[in-house]
Amino acid sequence: LLQKAAPPSLCKACARADCVPGKVTMAGVVERRLAQIGVNLPKAAAPAANYVPWRRAGNIVYISGQIPKGEDNQLRLGKLGASCSLDDGKAAARLCGLHLISQMKEACNGDLDKVKQILKIEGFVNSSEDFTDHPQVVNGISDLMVEVFGPEIGSHSRYAVGCSSLPLGVSVEAGAIIEVAAVE
């Protein structure tokens, strides 16, 4: 007689069936997806003032605003509708998204598979008075989250707000609220 295999037991720390506590495992699902799409995460940025880069309350993590700093350490500066094109804004937003993911990784002790939901993206766009495509700019972050985490985890609520200026003259800044699995 054929017997059904027992369902795999889930790790109490990370809720994954493939986890062996105390053993270093191969890259997780999210890390593999990042590699497949050719994304290298930047180093998680240290805070620039008197705040923390992220704060955890239970299984909710609040991530402070991240700015678009490239691998070349150059900030993506400009004002949408004036000195910055829509494509430049989307690219800057995507870069903010990469920095958000780096902070998520820190908050999850290096295991992005512990991200259970991207709950909210908070997008700020440095824009001229007559610029109205803020949602298109912040799509640079939203599209990245779905691409990296998949629609079940990466789809989120958000806002896309226009501002007359942002810190250091950057074109975009973004924060996030996420839910994570238990992290020890």
Side-chain angles (χ1 to χ4, degrees):
L1 292 173
L2 293 176
Q3 293 184 2
K4 289 185 181 179
S9 60
L10 300 180
C11 172
K12 290 181 173 108
C14 69
R16 288 190 355 229
D18 64 341
C19 178
V20 177
K23 180 180 177 186
V24 177
T25 58
M26 293 176 57
V29 173
V30 177
E31 291 287 346
R32 286 192 303 268
R33 193 170 298 128
L34 286 167
Q36 286 172 348
I37 62 175
V39 169
N40 293 316
L41 290 178
K43 183 180 177 197
N50 189 19
Y51 64 93
V52 293
W54 54 270
R55 174 67 111 195
R56 185 183 175 118
N59 286 357
I60 305 299
V61 176
Y62 299 85
I63 302 173
S64 297
Q66 302 295 302
I67 59 176
K69 187 175 187 179
E71 289 181 19
D72 57 2
N73 283 325
Q74 295 297 307
L75 296 174
R76 303 307 187 253
L77 307 174
K79 188 176 285 286
L80 277 289
S83 61
C84 193
S85 72
L86 182 58
D87 287 340
D88 291 339
K90 284 181 181 179
R94 182 177 173 91
L95 194 49
C96 289
L98 291 173
H99 285 280
L100 288 170
I101 296 170
S102 291
Q103 295 296 350
M104 292 175 202
K105 188 171 181 174
E106 289 290 316
C108 292
N109 292 332
D111 185 357
L112 285 168
D113 288 348
K114 291 183 180 178
V115 175
K116 295 301 174 194
Q117 294 184 77
I118 309 297
L119 298 171
K120 187 174 191 179
I121 297 294
E122 303 161 330
F124 298 92
V125 179
N126 184 356
S127 58
S128 63
E129 220 175 83
D130 58 345
F131 184 79
T132 59
D133 286 331
H134 311 93
Q136 295 302 316
V137 173
V138 178
N139 279 348
I141 302 168
S142 295
D143 294 346
L144 176 68
M145 294 302 156
V146 172
E147 183 179 16
V148 169
F149 292 99
E152 286 294 312
I153 294 170
S155 295
H156 52 269
S157 67
R158 74 171 197 193
Y159 57 74
V161 178
C163 304
S164 62
S165 69
L166 285 172
L168 306 174
V170 296
S171 53
V172 182
E173 180 175 0
I177 303 169
I178 66 170
E179 179 188 10
V180 297
V183 177
E184 294 180 17

